[in-house]
PDB file of all heavy atoms in Angstrom:
ATOM      1  N   TYR A   1       0.942  12.859  -6.021  1.00 94.00           N
ATOM      2  CA  TYR A   1       1.726  13.196  -4.841  1.00 94.00           C
ATOM      3  C   TYR A   1       2.800  14.228  -5.140  1.00 94.00           C
ATOM      4  O   TYR A   1       3.734  14.400  -4.342  1.00 94.00           O
ATOM      5  CB  TYR A   1       2.396  11.931  -4.301  1.00 94.00           C
ATOM      6  CG  TYR A   1       1.445  10.819  -3.925  1.00 94.00           C
ATOM      7  CD1 TYR A   1       1.392   9.641  -4.663  1.00 94.00           C
ATOM      8  CD2 TYR A   1       0.614  10.941  -2.814  1.00 94.00           C
ATOM      9  CE1 TYR A   1       0.538   8.616  -4.318  1.00 94.00           C
ATOM     10  CE2 TYR A   1      -0.250   9.917  -2.454  1.00 94.00           C
ATOM     11  CZ  TYR A   1      -0.285   8.754  -3.215  1.00 94.00           C
ATOM     12  OH  TYR A   1      -1.141   7.744  -2.863  1.00 94.00           O
ATOM     13  N   ASP A   2       2.694  14.927  -6.244  1.00 94.00           N
ATOM     14  CA  ASP A   2       3.773  15.820  -6.661  1.00 94.00           C
ATOM     15  C   ASP A   2       4.093  16.902  -5.632  1.00 94.00           C
ATOM     16  O   ASP A   2       5.229  17.371  -5.554  1.00 94.00           O
ATOM     17  CB  ASP A   2       3.435  16.469  -8.001  1.00 94.00           C
ATOM     18  CG  ASP A   2       3.596  15.497  -9.169  1.00 94.00           C
ATOM     19  OD1 ASP A   2       4.121  14.393  -8.949  1.00 94.00           O
ATOM     20  OD2 ASP A   2       3.179  15.845 -10.290  1.00 94.00           O
ATOM     21  N   HIS A   3       3.107  17.295  -4.843  1.00 93.00           N
ATOM     22  CA  HIS A   3       3.333  18.377  -3.888  1.00 93.00           C
ATOM     23  C   HIS A   3       3.582  17.858  -2.476  1.00 93.00           C
ATOM     24  O   HIS A   3       3.672  18.654  -1.535  1.00 93.00           O
ATOM     25  CB  HIS A   3       2.151  19.344  -3.897  1.00 93.00           C
ATOM     26  CG  HIS A   3       1.907  19.963  -5.246  1.00 93.00           C
ATOM     27  ND1 HIS A   3       2.804  20.821  -5.835  1.00 93.00           N
ATOM     28  CD2 HIS A   3       0.900  19.811  -6.140  1.00 93.00           C
ATOM     29  CE1 HIS A   3       2.345  21.196  -7.030  1.00 93.00           C
ATOM     30  NE2 HIS A   3       1.202  20.594  -7.234  1.00 93.00           N
ATOM     31  N   PHE A   4       3.709  16.547  -2.325  1.00 95.00           N
ATOM     32  CA  PHE A   4       4.008  15.973  -1.019  1.00 95.00           C
ATOM     33  C   PHE A   4       5.462  16.231  -0.641  1.00 95.00           C
ATOM     34  O   PHE A   4       6.370  16.082  -1.466  1.00 95.00           O
ATOM     35  CB  PHE A   4       3.782  14.458  -1.047  1.00 95.00           C
ATOM     36  CG  PHE A   4       2.440  14.021  -0.520  1.00 95.00           C
ATOM     37  CD1 PHE A   4       1.285  14.648  -0.920  1.00 95.00           C
ATOM     38  CD2 PHE A   4       2.351  12.966   0.369  1.00 95.00           C
ATOM     39  CE1 PHE A   4       0.053  14.236  -0.448  1.00 95.00           C
ATOM     40  CE2 PHE A   4       1.130  12.541   0.851  1.00 95.00           C
ATOM     41  CZ  PHE A   4      -0.024  13.186   0.453  1.00 95.00           C
ATOM     42  N   SER A   5       5.688  16.571   0.598  1.00 96.00           N
ATOM     43  CA  SER A   5       7.039  16.570   1.143  1.00 96.00           C
ATOM     44  C   SER A   5       7.371  15.154   1.603  1.00 96.00           C
ATOM     45  O   SER A   5       6.488  14.304   1.742  1.00 96.00           O
ATOM     46  CB  SER A   5       7.132  17.527   2.335  1.00 96.00           C
ATOM     47  OG  SER A   5       6.349  17.035   3.418  1.00 96.00           O
ATOM     48  N   ILE A   6       8.640  14.893   1.848  1.00 97.00           N
ATOM     49  CA  ILE A   6       9.034  13.585   2.354  1.00 97.00           C
ATOM     50  C   ILE A   6       8.392  13.336   3.717  1.00 97.00           C
ATOM     51  O   ILE A   6       7.981  12.198   4.029  1.00 97.00           O
ATOM     52  CB  ILE A   6      10.562  13.466   2.441  1.00 97.00           C
ATOM     53  CG1 ILE A   6      11.167  13.547   1.029  1.00 97.00           C
ATOM     54  CG2 ILE A   6      10.973  12.168   3.117  1.00 97.00           C
ATOM     55  CD1 ILE A   6      10.680  12.464   0.071  1.00 97.00           C
ATOM     56  N   GLU A   7       8.260  14.369   4.534  1.00 97.00           N
ATOM     57  CA  GLU A   7       7.622  14.209   5.842  1.00 97.00           C
ATOM     58  C   GLU A   7       6.156  13.795   5.676  1.00 97.00           C
ATOM     59  O   GLU A   7       5.666  12.925   6.403  1.00 97.00           O
ATOM     60  CB  GLU A   7       7.715  15.513   6.637  1.00 97.00           C
ATOM     61  CG  GLU A   7       9.120  15.878   7.091  1.00 97.00           C
ATOM     62  CD  GLU A   7      10.001  16.419   5.956  1.00 97.00           C
ATOM     63  OE1 GLU A   7       9.457  16.794   4.888  1.00 97.00           O
ATOM     64  OE2 GLU A   7      11.236  16.456   6.146  1.00 97.00           O
ATOM     65  N   GLU A   8       5.454  14.420   4.730  1.00 97.00           N
ATOM     66  CA  GLU A   8       4.057  14.050   4.487  1.00 97.00           C
ATOM     67  C   GLU A   8       3.951  12.632   3.925  1.00 97.00           C
ATOM     68  O   GLU A   8       3.032  11.879   4.284  1.00 97.00           O
ATOM     69  CB  GLU A   8       3.417  15.054   3.527  1.00 97.00           C
ATOM     70  CG  GLU A   8       3.197  16.422   4.127  1.00 97.00           C
ATOM     71  CD  GLU A   8       2.799  17.451   3.083  1.00 97.00           C
ATOM     72  OE1 GLU A   8       3.280  17.379   1.928  1.00 97.00           O
ATOM     73  OE2 GLU A   8       1.997  18.353   3.423  1.00 97.00           O
ATOM     74  N   ALA A   9       4.879  12.274   3.060  1.00 97.00           N
ATOM     75  CA  ALA A   9       4.876  10.926   2.500  1.00 97.00           C
ATOM     76  C   ALA A   9       5.120   9.891   3.595  1.00 97.00           C
ATOM     77  O   ALA A   9       4.464   8.830   3.624  1.00 97.00           O
ATOM     78  CB  ALA A   9       5.939  10.810   1.407  1.00 97.00           C
ATOM     79  N   THR A  10       6.036  10.171   4.494  1.00 98.00           N
ATOM     80  CA  THR A  10       6.305   9.258   5.610  1.00 98.00           C
ATOM     81  C   THR A  10       5.070   9.086   6.481  1.00 98.00           C
ATOM     82  O   THR A  10       4.714   7.969   6.888  1.00 98.00           O
ATOM     83  CB  THR A  10       7.470   9.784   6.460  1.00 98.00           C
ATOM     84  OG1 THR A  10       8.623   9.937   5.640  1.00 98.00           O
ATOM     85  CG2 THR A  10       7.780   8.839   7.605  1.00 98.00           C
ATOM     86  N   GLN A  11       4.396  10.192   6.763  1.00 97.00           N
ATOM     87  CA  GLN A  11       3.187  10.134   7.580  1.00 97.00           C
ATOM     88  C   GLN A  11       2.116   9.277   6.913  1.00 97.00           C
ATOM     89  O   GLN A  11       1.448   8.465   7.570  1.00 97.00           O
ATOM     90  CB  GLN A  11       2.651  11.543   7.830  1.00 97.00           C
ATOM     91  CG  GLN A  11       1.430  11.585   8.737  1.00 97.00           C
ATOM     92  CD  GLN A  11       0.940  13.003   8.974  1.00 97.00           C
ATOM     93  OE1 GLN A  11       1.262  13.925   8.229  1.00 97.00           O
ATOM     94  NE2 GLN A  11       0.149  13.184  10.024  1.00 97.00           N
ATOM     95  N   LEU A  12       1.949   9.427   5.602  1.00 96.00           N
ATOM     96  CA  LEU A  12       0.943   8.633   4.894  1.00 96.00           C
ATOM     97  C   LEU A  12       1.311   7.154   4.896  1.00 96.00           C
ATOM     98  O   LEU A  12       0.443   6.291   5.090  1.00 96.00           O
ATOM     99  CB  LEU A  12       0.782   9.139   3.462  1.00 96.00           C
ATOM    100  CG  LEU A  12      -0.290   8.424   2.632  1.00 96.00           C
ATOM    101  CD1 LEU A  12      -1.657   8.494   3.311  1.00 96.00           C
ATOM    102  CD2 LEU A  12      -0.372   9.010   1.229  1.00 96.00           C
ATOM    103  N   GLN A  13       2.583   6.841   4.705  1.00 97.00           N
ATOM    104  CA  GLN A  13       2.991   5.437   4.774  1.00 97.00           C
ATOM    105  C   GLN A  13       2.668   4.837   6.137  1.00 97.00           C
ATOM    106  O   GLN A  13       2.165   3.701   6.222  1.00 97.00           O
ATOM    107  CB  GLN A  13       4.494   5.308   4.491  1.00 97.00           C
ATOM    108  CG  GLN A  13       4.863   5.488   3.032  1.00 97.00           C
ATOM    109  CD  GLN A  13       6.361   5.342   2.804  1.00 97.00           C
ATOM    110  OE1 GLN A  13       7.166   5.520   3.717  1.00 97.00           O
ATOM    111  NE2 GLN A  13       6.744   5.008   1.586  1.00 97.00           N
ATOM    112  N   ASN A  14       2.924   5.573   7.181  1.00 97.00           N
ATOM    113  CA  ASN A  14       2.645   5.068   8.522  1.00 97.00           C
ATOM    114  C   ASN A  14       1.152   4.882   8.763  1.00 97.00           C
ATOM    115  O   ASN A  14       0.747   3.997   9.531  1.00 97.00           O
ATOM    116  CB  ASN A  14       3.242   6.005   9.579  1.00 97.00           C
ATOM    117  CG  ASN A  14       4.743   5.831   9.719  1.00 97.00           C
ATOM    118  OD1 ASN A  14       5.255   4.721   9.616  1.00 97.00           O
ATOM    119  ND2 ASN A  14       5.455   6.930   9.957  1.00 97.00           N
ATOM    120  N   GLN A  15       0.330   5.696   8.116  1.00 96.00           N
ATOM    121  CA  GLN A  15      -1.116   5.522   8.224  1.00 96.00           C
ATOM    122  C   GLN A  15      -1.585   4.305   7.428  1.00 96.00           C
ATOM    123  O   GLN A  15      -2.364   3.478   7.908  1.00 96.00           O
ATOM    124  CB  GLN A  15      -1.829   6.783   7.731  1.00 96.00           C
ATOM    125  CG  GLN A  15      -1.635   8.007   8.602  1.00 96.00           C
ATOM    126  CD  GLN A  15      -2.188   9.267   7.956  1.00 96.00           C
ATOM    127  OE1 GLN A  15      -2.655   9.264   6.815  1.00 96.00           O
ATOM    128  NE2 GLN A  15      -2.131  10.369   8.686  1.00 96.00           N
ATOM    129  N   LEU A  16      -1.087   4.186   6.197  1.00 96.00           N
ATOM    130  CA  LEU A  16      -1.554   3.129   5.309  1.00 96.00           C
ATOM    131  C   LEU A  16      -1.140   1.735   5.778  1.00 96.00           C
ATOM    132  O   LEU A  16      -1.872   0.771   5.584  1.00 96.00           O
ATOM    133  CB  LEU A  16      -1.022   3.367   3.895  1.00 96.00           C
ATOM    134  CG  LEU A  16      -1.574   4.568   3.132  1.00 96.00           C
ATOM    135  CD1 LEU A  16      -0.873   4.699   1.782  1.00 96.00           C
ATOM    136  CD2 LEU A  16      -3.077   4.445   2.922  1.00 96.00           C
ATOM    137  N   ARG A  17       0.009   1.616   6.402  1.00 96.00           N
ATOM    138  CA  ARG A  17       0.533   0.298   6.757  1.00 96.00           C
ATOM    139  C   ARG A  17      -0.427  -0.488   7.648  1.00 96.00           C
ATOM    140  O   ARG A  17      -0.434  -1.719   7.630  1.00 96.00           O
ATOM    141  CB  ARG A  17       1.889   0.426   7.441  1.00 96.00           C
ATOM    142  CG  ARG A  17       1.848   1.138   8.780  1.00 96.00           C
ATOM    143  CD  ARG A  17       3.228   1.252   9.418  1.00 96.00           C
ATOM    144  NE  ARG A  17       3.768  -0.048   9.790  1.00 96.00           N
ATOM    145  CZ  ARG A  17       4.948  -0.218  10.369  1.00 96.00           C
ATOM    146  NH1 ARG A  17       5.723   0.834  10.612  1.00 96.00           N
ATOM    147  NH2 ARG A  17       5.365  -1.411  10.704  1.00 96.00           N
ATOM    148  N   HIS A  18      -1.238   0.211   8.414  1.00 96.00           N
ATOM    149  CA  HIS A  18      -2.169  -0.465   9.325  1.00 96.00           C
ATOM    150  C   HIS A  18      -3.319  -1.139   8.584  1.00 96.00           C
ATOM    151  O   HIS A  18      -4.051  -1.945   9.170  1.00 96.00           O
ATOM    152  CB  HIS A  18      -2.710   0.538  10.347  1.00 96.00           C
ATOM    153  CG  HIS A  18      -1.649   1.139  11.215  1.00 96.00           C
ATOM    154  ND1 HIS A  18      -0.901   0.405  12.121  1.00 96.00           N
ATOM    155  CD2 HIS A  18      -1.176   2.416  11.289  1.00 96.00           C
ATOM    156  CE1 HIS A  18      -0.032   1.192  12.734  1.00 96.00           C
ATOM    157  NE2 HIS A  18      -0.175   2.418  12.243  1.00 96.00           N
ATOM    158  N   ASN A  19      -3.480  -0.834   7.310  1.00 97.00           N
ATOM    159  CA  ASN A  19      -4.560  -1.439   6.520  1.00 97.00           C
ATOM    160  C   ASN A  19      -4.100  -2.637   5.702  1.00 97.00           C
ATOM    161  O   ASN A  19      -4.911  -3.250   4.996  1.00 97.00           O
ATOM    162  CB  ASN A  19      -5.160  -0.388   5.577  1.00 97.00           C
ATOM    163  CG  ASN A  19      -5.796   0.762   6.329  1.00 97.00           C
ATOM    164  OD1 ASN A  19      -6.440   0.562   7.364  1.00 97.00           O
ATOM    165  ND2 ASN A  19      -5.615   1.975   5.829  1.00 97.00           N
ATOM    166  N   LEU A  20      -2.818  -2.974   5.758  1.00 98.00           N
ATOM    167  CA  LEU A  20      -2.311  -4.092   4.971  1.00 98.00           C
ATOM    168  C   LEU A  20      -2.879  -5.408   5.477  1.00 98.00           C
ATOM    169  O   LEU A  20      -2.985  -5.639   6.684  1.00 98.00           O
ATOM    170  CB  LEU A  20      -0.788  -4.138   5.029  1.00 98.00           C
ATOM    171  CG  LEU A  20      -0.039  -3.043   4.268  1.00 98.00           C
ATOM    172  CD1 LEU A  20       1.447  -3.130   4.585  1.00 98.00           C
ATOM    173  CD2 LEU A  20      -0.271  -3.163   2.771  1.00 98.00           C
ATOM    174  N   ALA A  21      -3.236  -6.295   4.537  1.00 97.00           N
ATOM    175  CA  ALA A  21      -3.701  -7.640   4.867  1.00 97.00           C
ATOM    176  C   ALA A  21      -2.592  -8.629   4.548  1.00 97.00           C
ATOM    177  O   ALA A  21      -2.026  -8.596   3.443  1.00 97.00           O
ATOM    178  CB  ALA A  21      -4.961  -7.974   4.068  1.00 97.00           C
ATOM    179  N   ASN A  22      -2.283  -9.508   5.496  1.00 94.00           N
ATOM    180  CA  ASN A  22      -1.166 -10.434   5.313  1.00 94.00           C
ATOM    181  C   ASN A  22      -1.612 -11.870   5.022  1.00 94.00           C
ATOM    182  O   ASN A  22      -0.835 -12.806   5.181  1.00 94.00           O
ATOM    183  CB  ASN A  22      -0.245 -10.407   6.539  1.00 94.00           C
ATOM    184  CG  ASN A  22      -0.964 -10.817   7.821  1.00 94.00           C
ATOM    185  OD1 ASN A  22      -2.120 -11.219   7.805  1.00 94.00           O
ATOM    186  ND2 ASN A  22      -0.265 -10.700   8.945  1.00 94.00           N
ATOM    187  N   GLN A  23      -2.859 -12.027   4.600  1.00 94.00           N
ATOM    188  CA  GLN A  23      -3.363 -13.326   4.168  1.00 94.00           C
ATOM    189  C   GLN A  23      -3.743 -13.262   2.692  1.00 94.00           C
ATOM    190  O   GLN A  23      -4.255 -12.240   2.220  1.00 94.00           O
ATOM    191  CB  GLN A  23      -4.577 -13.751   5.000  1.00 94.00           C
ATOM    192  CG  GLN A  23      -4.251 -13.988   6.464  1.00 94.00           C
ATOM    193  CD  GLN A  23      -3.258 -15.126   6.661  1.00 94.00           C
ATOM    194  OE1 GLN A  23      -3.348 -16.153   6.003  1.00 94.00           O
ATOM    195  NE2 GLN A  23      -2.306 -14.931   7.575  1.00 94.00           N
ATOM    196  N   THR A  24      -3.528 -14.359   1.984  1.00 93.00           N
ATOM    197  CA  THR A  24      -3.778 -14.365   0.548  1.00 93.00           C
ATOM    198  C   THR A  24      -5.279 -14.258   0.270  1.00 93.00           C
ATOM    199  O   THR A  24      -6.076 -15.024   0.800  1.00 93.00           O
ATOM    200  CB  THR A  24      -3.209 -15.642  -0.086  1.00 93.00           C
ATOM    201  OG1 THR A  24      -1.817 -15.705   0.223  1.00 93.00           O
ATOM    202  CG2 THR A  24      -3.394 -15.630  -1.598  1.00 93.00           C
ATOM    203  N   ASP A  25      -5.627 -13.278  -0.567  1.00 88.00           N
ATOM    204  CA  ASP A  25      -7.035 -12.995  -0.861  1.00 88.00           C
ATOM    205  C   ASP A  25      -7.587 -13.911  -1.940  1.00 88.00           C
ATOM    206  O   ASP A  25      -8.788 -14.103  -2.026  1.00 88.00           O
ATOM    207  CB  ASP A  25      -7.160 -11.528  -1.311  1.00 88.00           C
ATOM    208  CG  ASP A  25      -8.602 -11.125  -1.598  1.00 88.00           C
ATOM    209  OD1 ASP A  25      -9.423 -11.250  -0.674  1.00 88.00           O
ATOM    210  OD2 ASP A  25      -8.887 -10.702  -2.725  1.00 88.00           O
ATOM    211  N   ILE A  26      -6.734 -14.489  -2.754  1.00 88.00           N
ATOM    212  CA  ILE A  26      -7.197 -15.265  -3.896  1.00 88.00           C
ATOM    213  C   ILE A  26      -6.367 -16.542  -3.987  1.00 88.00           C
ATOM    214  O   ILE A  26      -5.147 -16.512  -3.833  1.00 88.00           O
ATOM    215  CB  ILE A  26      -7.090 -14.438  -5.201  1.00 88.00           C
ATOM    216  CG1 ILE A  26      -7.680 -15.209  -6.377  1.00 88.00           C
ATOM    217  CG2 ILE A  26      -5.683 -13.955  -5.464  1.00 88.00           C
ATOM    218  CD1 ILE A  26      -7.849 -14.342  -7.624  1.00 88.00           C
ATOM    219  N   LYS A  27      -7.025 -17.670  -4.193  1.00 84.00           N
ATOM    220  CA  LYS A  27      -6.334 -18.960  -4.250  1.00 84.00           C
ATOM    221  C   LYS A  27      -6.300 -19.520  -5.663  1.00 84.00           C
ATOM    222  O   LYS A  27      -5.253 -19.897  -6.162  1.00 84.00           O
ATOM    223  CB  LYS A  27      -7.020 -19.951  -3.306  1.00 84.00           C
ATOM    224  CG  LYS A  27      -6.883 -19.602  -1.833  1.00 84.00           C
ATOM    225  CD  LYS A  27      -5.458 -19.764  -1.347  1.00 84.00           C
ATOM    226  CE  LYS A  27      -5.350 -19.531   0.156  1.00 84.00           C
ATOM    227  NZ  LYS A  27      -3.954 -19.636   0.639  1.00 84.00           N
ATOM    228  N   ASP A  28      -7.451 -19.605  -6.296  1.00 92.00           N
ATOM    229  CA  ASP A  28      -7.535 -20.179  -7.641  1.00 92.00           C
ATOM    230  C   ASP A  28      -7.644 -19.043  -8.654  1.00 92.00           C
ATOM    231  O   ASP A  28      -8.695 -18.431  -8.803  1.00 92.00           O
ATOM    232  CB  ASP A  28      -8.741 -21.105  -7.753  1.00 92.00           C
ATOM    233  CG  ASP A  28      -8.637 -22.285  -6.796  1.00 92.00           C
ATOM    234  OD1 ASP A  28      -7.537 -22.850  -6.690  1.00 92.00           O
ATOM    235  OD2 ASP A  28      -9.657 -22.616  -6.157  1.00 92.00           O
ATOM    236  N   PHE A  29      -6.544 -18.756  -9.329  1.00 97.00           N
ATOM    237  CA  PHE A  29      -6.564 -17.684 -10.318  1.00 97.00           C
ATOM    238  C   PHE A  29      -5.843 -18.156 -11.564  1.00 97.00           C
ATOM    239  O   PHE A  29      -4.970 -19.028 -11.515  1.00 97.00           O
ATOM    240  CB  PHE A  29      -5.939 -16.403  -9.752  1.00 97.00           C
ATOM    241  CG  PHE A  29      -4.507 -16.554  -9.306  1.00 97.00           C
ATOM    242  CD1 PHE A  29      -3.456 -16.222 -10.136  1.00 97.00           C
ATOM    243  CD2 PHE A  29      -4.214 -17.026  -8.030  1.00 97.00           C
ATOM    244  CE1 PHE A  29      -2.139 -16.357  -9.739  1.00 97.00           C
ATOM    245  CE2 PHE A  29      -2.896 -17.163  -7.612  1.00 97.00           C
ATOM    246  CZ  PHE A  29      -1.860 -16.826  -8.464  1.00 97.00           C
ATOM    247  N   THR A  30      -6.203 -17.585 -12.684  1.00 98.00           N
ATOM    248  CA  THR A  30      -5.666 -18.027 -13.973  1.00 98.00           C
ATOM    249  C   THR A  30      -4.901 -16.930 -14.695  1.00 98.00           C
ATOM    250  O   THR A  30      -4.381 -17.170 -15.781  1.00 98.00           O
ATOM    251  CB  THR A  30      -6.797 -18.536 -14.874  1.00 98.00           C
ATOM    252  OG1 THR A  30      -7.757 -17.483 -15.069  1.00 98.00           O
ATOM    253  CG2 THR A  30      -7.500 -19.735 -14.253  1.00 98.00           C
ATOM    254  N   THR A  31      -4.834 -15.736 -14.125  1.00 98.00           N
ATOM    255  CA  THR A  31      -4.064 -14.645 -14.729  1.00 98.00           C
ATOM    256  C   THR A  31      -3.251 -13.951 -13.659  1.00 98.00           C
ATOM    257  O   THR A  31      -3.637 -13.868 -12.491  1.00 98.00           O
ATOM    258  CB  THR A  31      -4.969 -13.608 -15.424  1.00 98.00           C
ATOM    259  OG1 THR A  31      -5.901 -13.074 -14.471  1.00 98.00           O
ATOM    260  CG2 THR A  31      -5.691 -14.214 -16.609  1.00 98.00           C
ATOM    261  N   ILE A  32      -2.102 -13.447 -14.090  1.00 98.00           N
ATOM    262  CA  ILE A  32      -1.219 -12.685 -13.215  1.00 98.00           C
ATOM    263  C   ILE A  32      -0.650 -11.537 -14.042  1.00 98.00           C
ATOM    264  O   ILE A  32      -0.460 -11.679 -15.260  1.00 98.00           O
ATOM    265  CB  ILE A  32      -0.101 -13.581 -12.647  1.00 98.00           C
ATOM    266  CG1 ILE A  32       0.658 -12.886 -11.517  1.00 98.00           C
ATOM    267  CG2 ILE A  32       0.843 -14.075 -13.746  1.00 98.00           C
ATOM    268  CD1 ILE A  32       1.545 -13.835 -10.709  1.00 98.00           C
ATOM    269  N   ALA A  33      -0.418 -10.400 -13.412  1.00 98.00           N
ATOM    270  CA  ALA A  33       0.081  -9.234 -14.149  1.00 98.00           C
ATOM    271  C   ALA A  33       1.433  -8.801 -13.611  1.00 98.00           C
ATOM    272  O   ALA A  33       1.749  -8.990 -12.431  1.00 98.00           O
ATOM    273  CB  ALA A  33      -0.909  -8.080 -14.055  1.00 98.00           C
ATOM    274  N   GLY A  34       2.216  -8.211 -14.478  1.00 98.00           N
ATOM    275  CA  GLY A  34       3.435  -7.525 -14.086  1.00 98.00           C
ATOM    276  C   GLY A  34       3.262  -6.036 -14.321  1.00 98.00           C
ATOM    277  O   GLY A  34       2.631  -5.627 -15.308  1.00 98.00           O
ATOM    278  N   ALA A  35       3.803  -5.224 -13.423  1.00 98.00           N
ATOM    279  CA  ALA A  35       3.701  -3.769 -13.542  1.00 98.00           C
ATOM    280  C   ALA A  35       5.083  -3.154 -13.419  1.00 98.00           C
ATOM    281  O   ALA A  35       5.873  -3.546 -12.558  1.00 98.00           O
ATOM    282  CB  ALA A  35       2.779  -3.206 -12.463  1.00 98.00           C
TER     283      ALA A  35
END
């Protein structure tokens, strides 16, 4: 995203937000990661 303007970044965030899932996809898991 090095060549993105803040306006372009805002537009992409507004597009992506509609794809967010608000239900847990995984219940039984044995590993977790930190980033």
Side-chain angles (χ1 to χ4, degrees):
Y1 301 111
D2 285 351
H3 301 294
F4 263 47
S5 67
I6 296 301
E7 291 75 16
E8 290 170 325
T10 302
Q11 183 179 19
L12 182 57
Q13 286 180 337
N14 283 324
Q15 292 171 356
L16 291 177
R17 65 181 294 180
H18 298 295
N19 297 321
L20 289 172
N22 60 5
Q23 295 297 319
T24 303
D25 182 58
I26 185 169
K27 293 291 185 182
D28 298 317
F29 59 95
T30 59
T31 58
I32 192 167

